[in-house]
Amino acid sequence: MNPFQTYDARILEVKELTPREKLFTLRFVDPEINKEFTYKPGQFVIVDIRGFGEFPISLCSSPTRTGYFQLCVRRVGRMTKYMHTLKEGDIIGIRGPYGNGFPMEEMEGSNLLLVAGGLGMAPLRSVLWYALDSGKYEQIYLFYGTKSYEDILFRDEIIHLLKHGEAMNCRVKLAYEVESPSCIYLEKGFAPKVCKGVVTDLFRGEEFDVENTYALICGPPVMYKFVIKELLDRKLSPGRIYMTLERRMRCGIGKCGHCIVGTSTSIKYICKDGPVFTYWEALSTRGLI
Amino acid sequence: MIILRYVKLPSENFEEFFNSLKRWGTVYAPVKQGNIYAFKRVDTLGEVSLNYTRTMLPPKKFFVRPKDTLLKLKNGRWEEIREVKKIVLFGVHSCDIHGLQILDKVYLNDPVDPYYKARRENTIIIGISCMPDEYCFCKSLGTHFAMHGFDLFLHELPDGWLVRVGSVKGHEIAWVNESLFEDVTEEDLKHFKEFEEKRSASFKKHLNKEGLADMLDLAFDSPVWKRYERICLGCGNCNMVCPTCRCYEVCDYWINAYEAVRVRRYDSCFMETHGLVAGGHNFRPTRLDRFRHRYYCKSYFDPSAGFNCVGCGRCDEFCPAKIEHVKVLDEVREALK
Ligand SMILES: Cc1cc2nc3c(=O)[nH]c(=O)nc-3n(C[C@H](O)[C@H](O)[C@H](O)COP(=O)(O)OP(=O)(O)OC[C@H]3O[C@@H](n4cnc5c(N)ncnc54)[C@H](O)[C@@H]3O)c2cc1C
Ligand code: SF4
Ligand code: SF4
Ligand code: FES
């Protein structure tokens, strides 16, 4: 079997989440592959626009919902721009899933604190759905930092959880940076769960049972340091802080060398040793964050 | 005669032995080209530079090619491109054999790279002994002697070659040529030992590996990196010629209106784009970051693959800024005190 071969997947639906991000719902054309395709929250696939190139995208749906999978793609450059022109019924190539994913089993019975910044919401949505569907976790927190109201990914779902989350042991909090009538409306309706500020502001007034909580972080590179500081201040162990990281990736399977990080004492491949790492691993591998 | 692990190939049979290799595949060997050496296709022994120092590109070029077409797009689907030729690599030095074993750990690890695997399986490797020049430091890394990873290994004797048989295939090659070989005598062993001792004493460059991993890690902010940032041209030559560097880029292009190919080609961590992601964020934005990254990558001891540098000296010989690998590491260590 050639690991570079990609498999036909049909686009079932395209939904515009924001002016920059689209949600693609896909299914493999071959029913056999469809059946075999299982994944863990935090894993990613390589999307192949045959004849143009490949790029890695996190799975943002949950394996608890079978028969399809979803990718949330931000339009940033050449290939993602092309992807955004695709329509329902179009076929693209997919290989994967790759990476380690979050240790969902190990975390069963604990509280999950999901901290998302911007596009980091995509892989964490997979965790969120998984946790809600499986019901195997205590309290679920989602702290989500977004630029503006228009940038909120999966807005319907987020607002639904702001309204009804507590009944499902899920507490959602939202921080926005750019003020707008819609944000003020949200803030009025859901204060103090919605506020102006950055994601770390959402920690104010929150206490966690650190012995029984895992934090899962995904966001832009600058976000990690600040969020981790909040968590360490509350004495959450570096082994209970999980982060999913991004690098330039060409192969996704440990061959092309682009995602190599570290020094003489520890080298990691983000694609195959990650993309999920604990903060402890970041402490022992320089350059990880 | 029963071929054992060691046999002798007398000088007078050498050419005949060499000619016989063609039956196992196209023979490639080090050939002098101007003032460098390169592995080239050869027909006669006369073309081969038996006492070459090092080729510019290591034998990795046969397995991970500088430019390699992987897939071809036909009717919207990728078809695998895989023509494999049988080849014999004649005259490979021990450091390069070690280099290939490090590549094996990457490309043959799960998931196996089928292109690399097919080429490896269709290649016969015939090693040859060498004398170090001013650039070699393989002895410090234990890569000056190959125990595995070859089919036959030829050690120079005054009147021929002591041949080590390293694989079943090597055994078959020797067997077919049975009449060309002799038993190894006490005298030959003495000569072999003398050669190895002389060689061992000829190394001028040594890498102090003692605690190197930790020292380098501690020296993350060393001023030495800063100094070299200004000397290094960022050309990436050192990556291209290194037997263990294997970063590659992938690109698709159209060969005509209907057919596209997916090609991979060597990339270098000295290129600014190596750590660049969409949105303009660069994980190694400065030349210092990139220079240091290469030293860290080379000086990492992978528990499963070993040290990532085999001490071949190519990066020194082909660096236009005359940067010396060992000297950099020594200076970083020195500055820590
Ligand atoms: C593990 C992982 C998960 C990701 N998940 C998502 C996701 O869920 N949603 C999303 O929108 N984006 C995600 N990305 C980022 C996405 O891969 C890039 O935005 C995309 O590759 C940009 O390609 P482009 O051609 O549009 O951009 P250009 O800027 O034109 O890219 C030029 C080239 O650089 C490469 N490149 C650029 N940025 C990246 C990058 N971040 N990672 C790898 N290669 C890159 C591309 O392959 C491309 O060929 C993820 C990246 C990684 C590594
Ligand atoms: S780093 Fe330099 S000396 Fe070491 S294997 Fe690579 S080219 Fe040879
Ligand atoms: S070959 Fe020399 S100058 Fe060129 S990138 Fe390497 S160290 Fe720098
Ligand atoms: S993406 Fe190629 S090695 Fe990790």
Side-chain angles (χ1 to χ4, degrees), chain B residues 231-239 270 291 294-295 315 318-323:
Chain B
I231 304 172
C232 168
L233 308 170
C235 65
N237 267 9
C238 47
N239 296 125
F270 272 99
F291 187 86
R294 174 171 170 274
Y295 279 85
C315 54
F318 299 106
C319 173
K322 301 260 174 293
I323 291 172

Side-chain angles (χ1 to χ4, degrees), chain A residues 44 46 247-260 269-272, chain B residues 248:
Chain A
F44 63 96
I46 300 266
R247 280 298 181 284
R248 190 185 189 86
M249 286 186 185
R250 276 304 182 224
C251 65
I253 50 175
K255 314 286 182 211
C256 78
H258 284 92
C259 71
I260 292 177
Y269 287 73
I270 304 283
C271 68
K272 68 177 173 110
Chain B
Y248 68 78

Side-chain angles (χ1 to χ4, degrees), chain A residues 19 23 43 80 115 117 152 165 177 201 205 214 224 249 258 260 265 287:
Chain A
L23 179 68
Q43 285 194 300
T80 46
V115 186
I152 303 173
E177 287 175 56
D201 294 326
Y214 286 91
Y224 291 92
M249 286 186 185
H258 284 92
I260 292 177
T265 49

Side-chain angles (χ1 to χ4, degrees), chain B residues 69 71-73 81 252-261 263:
Chain B
T69 304
L71 302 164
K72 187 172 196 169
L73 195 62
I81 304 258
D252 290 3
Y253 56 84
W254 292 80
I255 42 180
N256 58 47
Y258 308 100
E259 289 175 311
V261 282
V263 175

Side-chain angles (χ1 to χ4, degrees), chain B residues 130-317:
Chain B
C130 48
M131 275 292 164
D133 69 356
E134 69 271 31
Y135 298 113
C136 301
F137 60 100
C138 54
K139 195 185 153 202
S140 313
L141 299 169
T143 50
H144 58 314
F145 201 82
M147 303 286 279
H148 319 274
F150 57 86
D151 298 291
L152 294 174
F153 202 108
L154 312 180
H155 291 271
E156 191 182 329
L157 296 175
D159 56 347
W161 304 86
L162 184 140
V163 181
R164 280 192 295 143
V165 182
S167 72
V168 174
K169 194 105 218 175
H171 191 281
E172 285 167 21
I173 297 170
W175 219 341
V176 169
N177 290 305
E178 205 177 355
S179 60
L180 303 178
F181 292 104
E182 291 173 1
D183 285 327
V184 175
T185 64
E186 293 277 316
E187 183 79 357
D188 296 329
L189 290 182
K190 191 172 135 260
H191 287 137
F192 171 67
K193 185 165 161 264
E194 278 168 9
F195 183 96
E196 285 304 311
E197 280 167 1
K198 182 173 161 221
R199 175 168 180 253
S200 190
S202 311
F203 283 93
K204 295 185 199 77
K205 197 164 258 185
H206 302 276
L207 173 66
N208 180 2
K209 247 180 81 186
E210 194 79 41
L212 182 64
D214 276 316
M215 304 255 192
L216 278 182
D217 184 57
L218 287 167
F220 190 80
D221 296 314
S222 173
V224 176
W225 304 124
K226 232 184 210 91
R227 186 150 48 75
Y228 276 105
E229 177 183 32
R230 290 194 295 271
I231 304 172
C232 168
L233 308 170
C235 65
N237 267 9
C238 47
N239 296 125
M240 299 299 121
V241 301
C242 178
T244 69
C245 272
R246 68 263 178 176
C247 283
Y248 68 78
E249 254 306 318
V250 185
C251 66
D252 290 3
Y253 56 84
W254 292 80
I255 42 180
N256 58 47
Y258 308 100
E259 289 175 311
V261 282
R262 178 159 288 167
V263 175
R264 67 177 168 200
R265 56 179 168 72
Y266 289 177
D267 194 8
S268 150
C269 57
F270 272 99
M271 300 301 117
E272 217 174 317
T273 51
H274 197 273
L276 185 70
V277 296
H281 185 76
N282 198 327
F283 288 94
R284 283 184 293 278
T286 66
R287 187 166 300 162
L288 188 152
D289 294 317
R290 300 189 283 272
F291 187 86
R292 187 170 53 192
H293 179 70
R294 174 171 170 274
Y295 279 85
Y296 278 141
C297 193
K298 292 295 132 192
S299 307
Y300 174 59
F301 182 87
D302 186 328
S304 75
F307 211 60
N308 253 333
C309 163
V310 296
C312 70
R314 284 187 177 86
C315 54
D316 287 11
E317 182 173 349

Side-chain angles (χ1 to χ4, degrees), chain A residues 16-22 75 84 150-151 155:
Chain A
E16 191 168 306
L17 295 179
T18 77
R20 284 197 297 177
E21 279 105 359
K22 282 187 179 177
R75 193 182 66 239
H84 270 233
E150 286 68 36
D151 290 313
R155 202 182 304 136

